[in-house]
Structure formats: C-alpha cells, structure tokens
C-alpha cells in the first residue's frame, strides 16, 4: 500500500526530484524492508562473490552510496553504487532525466554527477551491508587522464568494496565510449588491474559495455576482457537508439533505458556468451522488469541480472518479487541452481 501511494506521488513530480526523495526516504531507515530474498536454489556464486540471489541493483540509482544499508535489505542479491569519479562534479545541466511512461523507459544525460570518490568511499567504509556491494568507476569530464581516473578511484575505494566495475559505456560524457576501442581499452584495463593487484584484497573487476557495438567490436572486447583476466562483463549500459519510442520526450539526448532496451541488450549478452564460450561471467541489465525477462536474461547467458528503470514504474519491491519468481521457475524447471539454466536459451537470441 505504502509503495503504491509513494509511486503515485512521485510520478507527478519532476523525475530527478522524485529520485532524490526516494533516496532520502531510504536513508531514514523507516521503510518496511524485509532483507535479501534467498533460497538454496537462488543462492549463487558470481566471480567468487556469494550472492543470496542473482537480482542486483544497477549503478546510477544510488550514485553517492547514501542508502546502502536500506538497499541491502530491499530484496536484492547485490548492489552496485556510483559511478564515482576522482573529483566531485555536478554533471550536465538540468533537466537531464526524462520519463517515457508510454514506453516504460527513461532517458538520462546526467554526465557522471557525483560527490567524488572521497565522500563516496567514506560512506562505503561505514555502511553496514547484508549483500555484496560494488562501485561503478568513472572518469572526470575535464580529466587530462581519463584512463588513469578509473585506477585512481579503485585504489582509493577498493578496501571498502566487494567488486568494481569499469564504466566506459556511458553516452553522457563526451568521447568516453571511445575507450571501448581495443587499444585504448587494453591500456585502460591494464592500469586498473595493476591498481587492483596492489590492493591488500584484490577485487573482482567487471567491465560495463554499451549495447550499440558492432559484432567486430564485441569480439574485440571479449578478447581484451579474457586477456586482462576480468571477472566478467556487464551487458549493457543505456542505448543511443530511439527506435519505436512513443513518449513526448523521445527526442531528448542521452541514454535510453527501460523496456525498449531489453531485446537489444539481450542479443549483446547472448553474443558475448558465445564469444567467450560461456567461460566469462556475465551480468544482464537492460529492460528487466519482470520475472520472465530476468529468466530470459539468464537463459541468454547471464549469471545474474540488474534492475534500475523498472523500479521507477514498479517500485523497490520488484527486486524481491523477481527473485521469488525466479525461485519458483527454477523449481518448476527442476533446476537446483541458477547455473543450471544459464545460457540454455542463448541460440534463440543469435
């Protein structure tokens, strides 16, 4: 009841203001959150991380790690906060977040707005948590060494993380996606992995990629990821495509997320699964808004999934509902674990 009322109120508000209100509500600690949803079938290991369930929160929801204690009790199996850059930055001018209600989607052009790695790291050091928490690593817009920024954030925040994600796929920082090219990506990841090796407790490091890559570009990324011994790939970030949209904000610049991204991101996921022979853990994100869509991501090659935009329309309880639904589907399929169904439907997406 409280969630339906809250959603109805926030849908009438400016979307960025509504998002800030949601974070504030979580920080109060007063919301009725039941803790991670789990079962013997749902509990899974992802790149060495013990997850109570395979349904995670994508980066961008809690950019500044303000609500980690509450979010870790919201039904998710793992959380990703950030993106964090070395120095605080305001991001792009407002308005920069737009609901496309008719499409169950959103367009954002935030531009890595965040309070900087020191503030974020301070909160992560103090935040109690019930599930693994990772940080999305970013680069400052005006940095003279964007590749080096990722390593700097990891070196500073690494001791307080369970995993880290290199984000070179945001469309909202000019020329950031150029770092997905083979030579640039190889150099960037070499620096990140060197910083990771110097941590007292090296972390699983993931790479988050765009959905708008060609097959040749995907093949290069898969080769680099394997060569650099990454823990896995997160597929995918938002898209620049505007195909089939109906909302009045469909022409806004920025990255599109939500339902229109589901098929595109799932095809990329399946291709990566094939390119890596199922040997590299993949996290499926993009348009997951139901149990059936989460199930399809897993069957297309994901070991886990992440949510974000669907929470805007369905509420925070969606994470627990999807996890419970996956447990029922695993039981119905006679599967004892998520790993047993990962990749079993990949050919349908190729």
């Amino acid at each position: 009841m409280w969630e339906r009322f809250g959603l109805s109120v926030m849908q009438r508000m400016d979307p960025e203001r509504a998002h800030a209100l949601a974070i504030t509500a979580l920080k109060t600690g007063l919301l009725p959150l039941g803790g991670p949803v789990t079962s013997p079938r749902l509990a899974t290991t992802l790149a060495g991380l013990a997850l109570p369930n395979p349904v995670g929160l994508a980066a961008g929801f809690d950019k500044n790690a303000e609500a980690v204690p509450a979010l870790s009790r919201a039904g998710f199996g793992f959380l990703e906060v950030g993106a964090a850059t070395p120095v605080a930055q305001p991001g792009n001018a407002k308005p920069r977040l737009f609901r496309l209600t008719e499409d169950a989607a959103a367009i954002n052009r935030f531009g890595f707005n965040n309070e900087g790695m020191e503030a974020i790291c301070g909160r992560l050091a103090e935040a109690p948590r019930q599930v693994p928490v990772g940080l999305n690593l970013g680069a400052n817009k005006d940095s003279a060494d964007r590749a080096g920024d990722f390593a700097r954030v990891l070196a500073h925040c690494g001791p307080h993380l369970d995993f880290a994600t290199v984000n070179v796929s945001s469309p909202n920082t000019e020329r950031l996606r150029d770092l997905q090219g083979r030579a640039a990506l190889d150099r960037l990841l070499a620096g990140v992995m060197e910083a990771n090796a110097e941590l007292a407790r090296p972390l699983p490091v993931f790479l988050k990629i765009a959905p708008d890559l060609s097959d040749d570009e995907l093949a290069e990324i898969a080769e680099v990821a394997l060569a650099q011994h990454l823990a896995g790939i997160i597929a995918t970030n938002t898209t620049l495509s505007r195909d089939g949209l109906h909302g009045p904000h469909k022409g806004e610049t920025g990255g599109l997320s939500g339902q229109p991204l589901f098929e595109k991101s799932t095809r990329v996921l399946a291709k990566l699964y094939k390119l890596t022979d199922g040997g590299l853990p993949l996290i499926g994100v993009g348009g997951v808004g139901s149990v059936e869509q989460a199930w399809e991501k897993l069957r297309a090659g994901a070991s886990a999934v992440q949510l974000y935009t669907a929470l805007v329309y369905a509420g925070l309880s969606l994470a627990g509902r999807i996890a419970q639904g996956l447990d029922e589907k695993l039981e119905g399929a006679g599967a004892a674990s998520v790993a047993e169904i990962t990749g079993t439907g990949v050919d349908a997406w190729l």
Side-chain angles (χ1 to χ4, degrees), residues 213-215 218 266-276 282 300 346 349-350:
L213 298 165
S214 69
D215 288 353
L218 281 176
T266 307
R267 279 194 293 272
V268 169
L269 177 70
K271 289 175 182 178
L272 283 171
Y273 186 84
K274 279 289 190 180
L275 286 166
T276 59
L282 305 174
V346 66
W349 290 95
L350 298 175

Side-chain angles (χ1 to χ4, degrees), residues 48-132:
L49 299 169
L51 310 181
N53 71 65
V55 182
L57 176 68
F61 184 87
D62 189 4
K63 288 179 176 290
N64 293 305
E66 297 176 89
V68 169
L71 288 169
S72 74
R73 302 193 309 273
F76 295 103
F78 63 107
L79 310 175
E80 186 178 345
V81 300
T85 56
V87 179
Q89 61 182 24
N92 296 321
K94 298 178 182 180
R96 55 193 180 183
L97 177 62
F98 306 90
R99 294 189 196 95
L100 283 73
T101 305
E102 298 89 338
D103 302 297
I107 291 174
N108 89 81
R109 49 174 181 263
F110 282 119
F112 281 171
N113 58 308
N114 73 105
E115 295 177 7
M117 65 183 185
E118 292 196 10
I120 292 170
C121 183
R123 295 189 185 109
L124 289 169
E126 298 176 356
R129 61 189 73 170
Q130 297 184 25
V131 298

